[in-house]
Each structure stands twice: as structure tokens, then as C-alpha cells.
């Protein structure tokens, strides 16, 4: 490939193209978000999105994605194939233009407007620029056309390499390991996205293959396909999290308003959780936005009217005041809209800003929901009953919270007795460790740097919070352990203000997905970093899940603004002679063996850390607390959302699902031990 005689100066022919590719390689994060594992996976999404576009245009039904044994990726579809004829202006094959010119992807398709596309909509040329090697093949008119590239530069002009009966496009790329911090793909991450894409685009079949054998030598593969799309997606979400349906139907809305294609599916389950996932052009809008706001507005408006029309007596008798959040307890919904020129805002650029979308979704959902309620009085009554119950429970919980806050004013300087505070009062340089377990708490207190590190031990009692959080989660604030955390962190709840998260229902603004929680005021947060320190075993992970869930529900701002972390203790200590090194994963352990043992571990002493409690103060400092050497994982809203789902599932009604989860994770624990 590289020794192709034409490779030498073929690529030098277009200076502008080279400059474009160079810009991508210089600032990859600007084009694909970041260069971590996330960015690496983004290359696949970008490539698959092109095939999805071809499917949405009606020409493709099948997409095969393969993680090859060498961690290169192949994406093959059965579409029309990227055109290969000479581009009239560029005097090069259209394929070459698509592969090497930024944003050239959709140029050839006049009729259909491009709505899919990765989060950054950068085009496959970025994938090419960030790959040390790429191979494009087009199956068209009985021929196989191909071109190869290195770091985005063509090695030769598009050529015919054989005959074929197939039709479609095949892309294979090898991500550049001088750009990405890792080039190892994660099957589960890709599977989750392919599943999501299959649900979002009914009728398309996506097959994911992993050609890297697992421990037993097996190769994984999965087929993702949904006939109905969103209604099946909503069912899947509830089943996956172990929630029980409240009504038998999934309400499905598929329409177009003001030129905006809108699809929504919603249903209710018996839990207390609100789960609304929204998408714009197949991109998950984690932070919500105008489509999400329009949906909420319609739901509140229509259900409120229906409840007032049909349950007037109960509402009057019990003096119930229904609030927006009451309509969303136990609601699971997926919203998917297609917007021609989406504006993404917010911290992670996953919040839709286009104001025209709010009204369109509001109208579409309002009409369909009103119709459904009129036509289905039985499930409609079940929903209204649940809403009224939610309102009553919320009012009762609010009273309880007021009681709690009166009892222990959280504005004062009093700190929980168990807190070993740091001496610095500058939040910028302070951090707090939330440590599970008595002995680890003790070692942490001794081993810490007193100036900047505070320790708050959490006793086994934190687990009592669990049941409350699962059943009547408003009441978790009454737990002493939770109050200690709130007090230590300096978080304040303001009682008298209308919670800032409950937007005027029509404005289409400020609609965070998580805003059904009266979010805490964190202006007075006393620590820049709040670090969860728990064992790497099943129990430790359980506690970490619980604490993340707690933060996610009560103080998501702490997470959103990047203050929550998880400490990552090492798994091993490797010693050879006088050299001692902590290894945080198996790769580091293997690297130590190859560096000091010539590839074997004979002569190397490997000590496995079983838990934080086993380390003395000095070890704990050295391995887990010392800011210069430790490994911390910053918790993202996505992580916390997943923790919340896991938590709900663990505490949910589905015993079989819970057992399967525990067994799966317990297996890892035994393999580890
Ligand atoms: C524009 C025009 C035509 C095909 C495509 C784009 C196309 C692009 C990709 C990217 C991945 N798979 C794809 N499949 C098709 C065809 C126009 C024509 O044949 O008339």
C-alpha cells in the first residue's frame, strides 16, 4: 500500500485539501469533541451516520459494523455507493472529494436535506484525516472501486480492482495512535449506540461484529433491528431498567409540524422516575432543549386539563395542587425530531436551541395526547390517579423537608462531627473524600494532606438511604448521612424561592432534563473536588452507584459543573528488586512485566490490593490520594444517569434482571479474586 509507486506525489496535488486535513489533525478536539476513548468511538458514529443517511434517503437497509482484530473498524452498507465519477469542478473522483474535503459529504444529493450526522456533523473526511490508514471501496455498476489514504492523503487515484454483484460502500479505517489516547474499541459502547440507532430509524438492520476473541476465544456479534422504532425503544428502556408498565399502551406520535418531522413515544410505569430521552437528527440531546420543553409543556397542559375535567371532586376535596413534575412521575418517553439547521447549546453542546421547535412539538404532542385520553378512558384514569398520588406525596415530602431544614439550619457554620476538615478555606484548592468504611476512613484521615484534603467517612448506614431513595426518594434528605454530606459540602436548599428549574412552561428555555429535581444552590460549595472513594469490588461499586444516584437526583449541578470524581485505587503493586510500581489496570501490569521481567512475571512480586481497608495510611496516600500520582475519574452527567438506571434496576421489581446483573458482576469479582 505505502510502496505504491504513485504514492509519492499524488497527494501533493491539492494544497487546500492538505491544509484542511492538517487543521483537523492539529485540533482534532475541535472536530470530534476530544481525543479520548469518546472521540475514538465518534469516528465510528460519523462513518455509520453516512450509511444511515443513505438509509433515510430510502436506498439502504443493511449496515454491517465490524471491530476487526487489529482494532480497525469496517462499516459496510448496501446503499447506492458513494459516486465515483469525476467531480465537475474538482476534476477528481467524487469519492476522493468526499474522503478528503471537509464537509463535502452531502454535496451530491440535491433533493434530500441532510439531517443525520454525528454530533459535530464533520463528515467522513475527518475520520480519514485522523486515521493512519483508510480504505474506501465502492460497489457500483458491477465494479469494485477503491482508494486508500494515509492520514487523509490519497495514496493513488480511485481505481477499479475487480468485479462485484454487490452494491454499496465499504469503509475501513485504522485510527491514528499518535492522535488518540487509546485506540482500543469498546464493544458495549458501540453496541449501545447501534441499538439506539436501530430504534431511532425503524426498519434499518445494523449488525455489529467483534473480531477480537474474548477470554474463551469467542467472537461476539449482535443484530439490531426494530420494526416499530420508538414505541419499542420505550419498552426496551423500561424493561432494561426493570420498571413495570402502569398502562398497557405506548402512545406513539409521528407527524410533521412547521416542516419539522416529529416522533414521540411515551408510556407510564409504576416507578417514581421520570425518564425522557430526546434526540435531534439521531443525536442524543442529554441537556434537553426546545423539543424537550415543548413536550413538557404539552404534557402538563393536556393532562392538567383532563385531570381537572375528570377528577374535579377529588382535587377539590383533597385540596391538591398539581405541579408539572407530578405529571412526569413514572413517565418514560423518547422524543426524536429532525431539524435542518440545529443549534446546539449548553455545557456539552447537547441542548437544542432552535426556538421554533418548542411550539411545533407542543402542538403535535398536545393534539395527539388529547385524542388518546378521549379515546382511552381506562388508561387515562390510571394515569390521572397516579398523578394525583404523586402530587399528594410531593406535598407531604415538602412538609417533611421543611421540618428537616428547620431542625438543622444548613446555613450555619456547624459541620458534621465526623468530618475531618482541611485547614484551607479556599474552595479552589480544597477537596473532600467521601470514604466508605471505617478502616479506610481512618487511614484516609491519617494519610491525607491536611491543608487541602477533607475526609468524610460514610458508615454502613448510608445503605439505609437506599431503600428511601428507591421508594420515596424525596425523603432521602431526612437521612443523617445525607444531611452530613450536604452540610459538609456547603450545599444550600432555598426554601422560599420557586425552584429555578421549573421554567415558565412555555418559554422553551432553561429546560434541563434533570430539572424535575429542585437543584441545589452550590455557590457556596466548599470543595472544588468531591471524590467518592470506594473499593473496586461489587460492594464498593454499589456504594459508588448509590452516591452518584444521590448527587444526580439532588445536586446535579455538582456533576454538571465538574466537581464530582471517583478515586481509582490501583489493582496491583508490582515489585522487582528495588523497583516498586502501582498498576491501575492489567495493561500496566503487563507493561511492568515486559519492562522488568522480559515479558514474564517470574522474579516479579505482584501484590493484589483487595480493598482500601487493607492499605495503611501511607499506601492510601501514595496510591489513591496524592494529587501528583493518583488516578481520578471525573463523573459526567452521563455516568450519573447510567448509575441512576443501574440503581433503579437493582432496587426495582424485576428480580430476574437484578439477579442477572449481580451474577454478572459477581463473576467479575471472582475472576478478580
Ligand atoms: C450521495 C449520492 C449518492 C450516494 C451517496 C451520497 C452515498 C454516500 C454514502 C456514504 C456511506 N454510504 C453511502 N452511500 C451513498 C448516489 C447518487 C446516485 O447514485 O445517483
Amino acid at each position: 500500500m505505502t510502496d505504491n509507486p504513485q504514492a509519492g506525489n499524488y497527494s501533493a496535488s491539492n494544497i487546500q485539501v492538505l491544509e484542511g486535513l492538517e487543521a483537523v489533525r492539529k485540533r482534532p478536539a475541535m472536530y470530534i469533541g476530544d481525543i479520548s476513548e469518546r472521540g475514538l468511538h465518534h469516528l465510528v458514529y460519523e462513518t455509520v451516520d453516512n450509511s444511515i443517511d443513505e438509509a433515510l434517503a430510502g436506498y439502504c437497509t443493511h449496515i454491517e459494523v465490524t471491530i476487526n482484530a487489529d482494532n480497525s473498524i469496517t462499516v459496510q452498507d448496501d446503499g447506492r455507493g458513494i459516486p465515483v465519477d469525476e467531480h465537475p469542478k474538482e476534476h477528481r473522483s467524487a469519492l476522493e472529494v468526499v474522503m478528503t474535503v471537509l464537509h463535502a459529504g452531502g454535496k451530491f444529493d440535491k433533493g434530500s436535506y441532510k439531517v443525520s450526522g454525528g454530533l459535530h456533523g464533520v463528515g467522513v473526511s475527518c475520520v480519514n484525516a485522523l486515521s493512519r490508514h483508510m480504505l474506501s471501496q465502492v460497489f457500483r455498476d458491477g465494479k469494485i472501486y477503491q482508494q486508500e489514504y494515509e492520514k487523509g492523503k490519497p495514496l493513488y487515484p480511485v481505481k477499479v480492482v475487480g468485479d462485484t454483484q454487490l452494491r454499496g460502500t465499504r469503509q475501513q479505517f485504522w485510527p491514528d495512535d499518535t492522535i488518540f489516547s487509546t485506540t482500543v474499541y469498546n464493544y458495549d459502547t458501540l453496541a449501545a449506540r447501534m441499538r439506539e440507532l436501530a430504534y431511532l430509524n425503524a426498519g434499518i438492520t445494523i449488525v455489529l461484529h467483534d473480531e477480537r476473541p474474548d477470554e474463551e476465544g469467542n467472537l461476539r456479534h449482535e443484530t439490531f433491528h426494530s420494526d416499530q422504532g420508538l414505541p419499542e425503544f420505550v419498552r426496551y428502556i423500561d424493561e432494561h431498567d426493570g420498571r413495570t408498565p402502569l398502562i398497557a399502551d405506548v402512545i406513539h406520535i409521528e407527524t410533521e409540524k412547521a416542516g419539522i418531522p416529529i416522533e414521540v413515544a411515551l408510556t407510564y410505569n409504576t416507578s417514581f422516575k421520570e425518564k425522557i430521552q430526546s434526540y435531534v437528527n439521531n443525536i442524543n440531546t442529554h441537556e434537553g432543549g426546545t423539543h424537550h420543553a415543548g413536550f413538557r409543556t404539552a404534557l402538563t397542559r393536556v393532562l392538567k386539563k383532563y385531570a381537572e375535567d375528570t377528577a374535579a371532586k377529588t382535587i377539590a376535596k383533597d385540596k391538591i395542587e398539581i405541579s408539572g413534575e407530578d405529571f412526569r412521575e413514572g413517565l418514560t418517553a423518547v422524543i426524536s425530531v429532525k431539524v435542518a439547521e440545529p443549534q446546539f447549546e449548553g455545557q456539552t453542546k447537547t441542548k437544542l436551541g432552535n426556538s421554533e421547535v418548542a411550539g411545533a412539538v407542543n402542538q403535535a404532542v398536545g393534539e395527539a395526547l388529547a385524542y388518546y385520553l378521549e379515546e382511552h378512558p381506562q388508561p387515562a384514569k390510571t394515569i390521572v390517579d397516579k398523578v394525583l398520588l404523586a402530587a399528594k406525596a410531593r406535598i407531604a415530602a415538602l412538609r417533611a423537608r421543611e421540618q428537616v431544614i428547620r431542625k438543622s439550619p444548613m446555613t450555619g457554620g456547624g459541620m458534621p462531627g465526623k468530618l475531618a476538615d482541611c485547614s484551607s478555606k479556599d474552595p479552589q484548592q480544597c477537596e473532600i473524600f467521601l470514604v466508605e468504611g471505617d478502616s479506610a476512613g481512618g487511614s484516609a484521615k491519617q494519610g491525607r494532606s491536611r491543608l487541602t484534603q477533607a475526609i468524610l467517612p460514610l458508615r454502613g448506614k448510608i445503605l439505609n438511604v437506599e431503600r428511601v431513595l428507591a421508594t420515596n426518594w424525596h425523603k432521602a434528605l431526612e437521612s443523617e448521612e445525607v444531611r452530613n454530606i450536604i452540610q459538609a459540602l456547603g450545599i444550600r436548599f432555598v426554601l422560599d424561592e420557586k425552584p429555578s428549574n421549573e421554567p415558565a412552561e412555555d418559554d422553551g428555555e432553561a429546560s434541563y432534563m434533570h430539572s424535575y429535581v429542585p437543584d441545589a444552590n452550590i455557590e457556596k460549595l466548599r470543595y472544588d473536588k468531591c471524590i467518592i472513594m470506594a473499593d473496586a469490588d461489587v460492594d464498593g461499586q454499589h456504594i459508588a452507584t448509590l452516591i452518584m444516584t444521590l448527587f444526580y437526583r439532588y445536586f446535579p449541578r455538582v456533576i454538571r459543573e465538574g466537581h464530582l470524581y471517583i478515586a481509582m485505587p490501583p489493582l496491583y503493586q508490582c515489585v522487582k528488586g528495588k523497583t516498586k510500581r502501582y498498576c491501575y489496570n492489567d495493561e500496566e501490569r503487563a507493561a511492568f512485566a515486559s519492562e522488568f521481567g522480559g515479558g514474564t512475571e517470574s522474579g516479579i512480586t505482584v501484590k493484589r490490593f483487595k480493598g482500601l481497608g487493607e492499605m495503611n495510611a501511607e499506601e492510601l496516600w501514595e496510591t489513591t490520594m496524592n494529587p501528583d500520582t493518583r488516578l481520578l475519574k471525573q463523573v459526567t452527567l452521563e455516568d450519573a444517569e447510567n448509575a441512576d438506571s443501574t440503581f433503579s434496576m437493582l432496587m426495582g421489581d424485576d428480580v430476574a434482571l437484578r439477579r442477572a446483573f449481580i451474577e454478572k458482576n459477581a463473576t467479575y469479582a471472582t475472576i478478580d479474586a
Side-chain angles (χ1 to χ4, degrees), residues 430-488:
C430 293
E431 45 192 46
I432 183 168
F433 287 85
L434 307 172
V435 188
E436 196 269 316
D438 275 335
S439 65
S443 299
K445 279 185 188 177
Q446 283 171 34
R448 71 190 171 128
S449 156
R450 278 170 189 278
L451 178 65
T452 57
Q453 296 182 322
I455 310 294
L456 183 67
L458 302 172
R459 304 287 144 82
K461 261 194 289 177
I462 186 83
L463 286 172
N464 296 343
V465 173
E466 190 161 43
R467 226 176 317 107
V468 185
L469 206 54
T471 52
N472 189 352
W473 65 271
H474 300 98
K475 287 197 168 190
L477 281 184
E478 289 173 38
S479 136
E480 189 189 329
E481 296 287 326
V482 174
R483 265 162 42 212
N484 282 342
I485 295 175
I486 294 171
Q487 230 162 320

Side-chain angles (χ1 to χ4, degrees), residues 34 36 38 286-287 347-348 350 514 530 532 544-545 547-549 551-553 555-566 632-644:
D34 61 49
S36 68
R38 204 184 180 129
H286 291 282
E287 294 173 279
Q347 288 265 315
T348 55
T350 57
H514 317 283
C530 307
I532 303 171
T545 300
I547 297 177
M548 279 194 277
T549 303
F551 273 78
Y552 178 69
R553 295 203 191 166
F555 346 112
R557 267 191 75 190
V558 175
I559 302 173
R560 198 183 301 128
E561 293 175 24
H563 298 293
L564 188 63
Y565 295 82
I566 298 183
L632 285 189
K633 183 182 177 328
Q634 189 170 44
V635 177
T636 64
L637 271 182
E638 250 170 295
D639 298 331
E641 200 174 317
N642 288 335
D644 187 313

Side-chain angles (χ1 to χ4, degrees), residues 47 50-51 54 77 79-83 105 108-109 140 169 171:
T47 310
N50 290 297
S51 299
E54 182 70 356
D77 66 47
R80 292 168 293 176
I82 299 177
F108 306 96
D109 236 350
R140 254 180 104 106
T169 304
Q171 301 278 23

Side-chain angles (χ1 to χ4, degrees), residues 6 30 60 62 192 198 214 220 288 377 404 445 468 477-478 493 538-539 558 607 643 656:
Q6 299 175 70
M30 253 187 64
C60 156
H62 234 82
D214 64 14
R220 293 175 76 177
V404 173
K445 279 185 188 177
V468 185
L477 281 184
E478 289 173 38
F493 287 102
V538 181
D539 287 344
V558 175
K607 179 179 157 194

